[in-house]
Amino acid sequence: MNKKLEDYYSRLDQRIKPKSHKGVVHFTVLEPLCVYDKEYRDYTLNLMRNISGRTLGDFTPIHIDLTNCPKITASASVMLFAEISRARIATENDKIVTISLPQDPELQELLHSIGWVKAVNAGCREQNALFDNNEIFQTVSDPGKAMASLLLSLRNSGITLTSIEAKIFTKGVNEAMLNVLHHAYSHEDLPLGGIGRRWWQCCYTVVKNNEPEKMVYIIFDLGQGILNSLPKDDINESIQAHILRAMSKGVTCTGEKDRGKGSQNMKDAMSIRENSILFIASNNVVYCKKTTEIPESEECTIPFLGTLVEWQIYI
């Protein structure tokens, strides 16, 4: 790491105000947690990096103070859930991460209503219960079970998809799940902390004026990332070009013919309804595709530790 980047990390660390008290490192979050907006992305990713670094790097207990956090957006909420969940599973210590919830009434109500509070309070032996009880936030490693849970969530959401729309959407989601199993952790025999080839997911409906406005489905893994599993086309290929190629039909890291259709399936899943969005973040890049628009990509200073895929399907 060069000196300039080290100094940048140091400034980011100062913004989460790390303090040690009785063997516990406290982080105070005073800014929005969001990875969509470049203004907040590095701050958010650095918090995630600190959580895993402290808990899994040197087994130091941490406390995350969200009391005055003004906002937690959808993908950031899944990532934070994942880091807390992984730390507890890997260390088999529910006290390795403790948390103070936001006090803003609107934000607190939202986090309770989507089941996020229940998820981040779940201990290492309660993670399976999140799935068994069909909670909105879950951690799983079985595509079949995860898909069954997703279909149940869709049925309970009040959203009506045609049989064709449902087939296209679930095909794209299933591809994201299979990518985790086959590629995310292929670089290591035992995924970090013995967590297995798992991912974290959530599926919920955003309601506006008492009517469903959009469905959100997010899947996040803590593996090697898309750009590490798919080699560069050539040494001069930019990060932005790399992710755009990875999301092109026919591109595969297997080298096998007739493979590489999964990225198109993921884009098709977004296209079932107008104005819908596919957002992908991995390594040092984010990718965003809106239904009828050309996809965009943007390089990130701070890397994503894993791969995040989010669909926002407008009803």
Side-chain angles (χ1 to χ4, degrees):
M1 189 185 297
N2 61 42
K3 183 66 166 58
K4 187 176 180 181
L5 189 56
E6 280 185 11
D7 289 343
Y8 185 51
Y9 271 118
S10 179
R11 293 195 300 274
L12 288 171
D13 285 344
Q14 291 172 17
R15 287 163 60 185
I16 56 174
K17 306 181 183 301
K19 292 180 181 178
S20 184
H21 180 66
K22 295 183 178 180
V24 178
V25 175
H26 293 248
F27 298 120
T28 302
V29 179
L30 300 175
E31 301 177 37
L33 295 180
C34 173
V35 293
Y36 314 125
D37 192 327
K38 193 173 182 179
E39 181 181 356
Y40 308 118
R41 186 182 300 143
D42 288 355
Y43 177 86
T44 303
L45 293 175
N46 187 58
L47 173 66
M48 306 302 167
R49 184 183 71 94
N50 270 278
I51 294 171
S52 57
R54 297 283 187 169
T55 58
L56 300 178
D58 54 21
F59 299 99
T60 300
I62 65 169
H63 179 78
I64 306 168
D65 185 356
L66 298 173
T67 304
N68 294 306
C69 176
K71 185 177 183 180
I72 305 176
T73 56
S75 281
S77 72
V78 177
M79 293 174 66
L80 185 52
F81 162 53
E83 290 290 0
I84 293 171
S85 167
R86 177 176 66 165
R88 289 174 180 161
I89 293 170
T91 62
E92 297 185 345
N93 176 11
D94 293 343
K95 298 296 184 183
I96 195 73
V97 182
T98 54
I99 189 168
S100 297
L101 296 174
Q103 293 302 300
D104 176 80
E106 188 175 338
L107 178 56
Q108 191 177 102
E109 181 182 356
L110 171 64
L111 296 175
H112 274 285
S113 69
I114 62 175
W116 185 82
V117 172
K118 190 169 188 176
V120 296
N121 283 324
C124 64
R125 292 173 181 81
E126 299 168 327
Q127 299 296 317
N128 289 339
L130 294 173
F131 172 81
D132 294 339
N133 297 328
N134 201 47
E135 300 293 344
I136 292 173
F137 285 78
Q138 306 170 352
T139 176
V140 288
S141 56
D142 184 323
K145 290 182 177 180
M147 189 58 65
S149 177
L150 172 60
L151 292 172
L152 179 59
S153 296
L154 286 175
R155 282 198 297 270
N156 295 337
S157 68
I159 296 171
T160 302
L161 297 179
T162 67
S163 59
I164 294 176
E165 288 173 336
K167 182 178 180 180
I168 293 171
F169 180 70
T170 54
K171 191 174 182 179
V173 170
N174 190 61
E175 181 62 31
M177 295 175 183
L178 293 176
N179 282 343
V180 178
L181 287 183
H182 298 318
H183 305 303
Y185 302 104
S186 62
H187 62 303
E188 50 187 339
D189 294 329
L190 182 65
L192 183 60
I195 63 168
R197 300 178 190 282
R198 73 172 61 236
W199 63 89
W200 291 259
Q201 64 179 26
C202 80
C203 180
Y204 63 90
T205 305
V206 177
V207 177
K208 189 174 183 180
N209 298 325
N210 296 320
E211 292 289 339
E213 179 191 28
K214 65 180 176 180
M215 176 186 66
V216 177
Y217 177 75
I218 302 168
I219 177 171
F220 176 60
D221 69 70
L222 285 157
Q224 64 181 323
I226 295 172
L227 303 191
N228 284 333
S229 64
L230 178 71
K232 280 190 171 187
D233 195 30
D234 66 69
I235 195 170
N236 296 316
E237 184 177 43
S238 69
I239 286 178
Q240 293 99 316
H242 195 169
I243 190 66
L244 290 173
R245 182 170 60 85
M247 290 304 297
S248 299
K249 185 177 181 180
V251 174
T252 173
C253 64
T254 65
E256 298 176 20
K257 268 189 166 185
D258 299 322
R259 295 290 298 274
K261 298 175 183 177
S263 59
Q264 187 61 47
N265 292 339
M266 291 166 67
K267 288 185 282 189
D268 288 344
M270 168 267 303
S271 66
I272 62 173
R273 294 293 174 94
E274 291 182 0
N275 302 318
S276 296
I277 298 169
L278 171 63
F279 177 84
I280 298 176
S282 192
N283 305 113
N284 286 80
V285 70
V286 296
Y287 167 100
C288 187
K289 173 80 170 74
K290 295 182 181 178
T291 312
T292 58
E293 297 180 13
I294 296 172
E296 298 179 353
S297 63
E298 180 182 18
E299 186 173 356
C300 308
T301 304
I302 309 298
F304 284 78
L305 304 178
T307 298
L308 182 141
V309 182
E310 174 178 349
W311 285 271
Q312 294 185 21
I313 308 296
Y314 279 82
I315 309 306

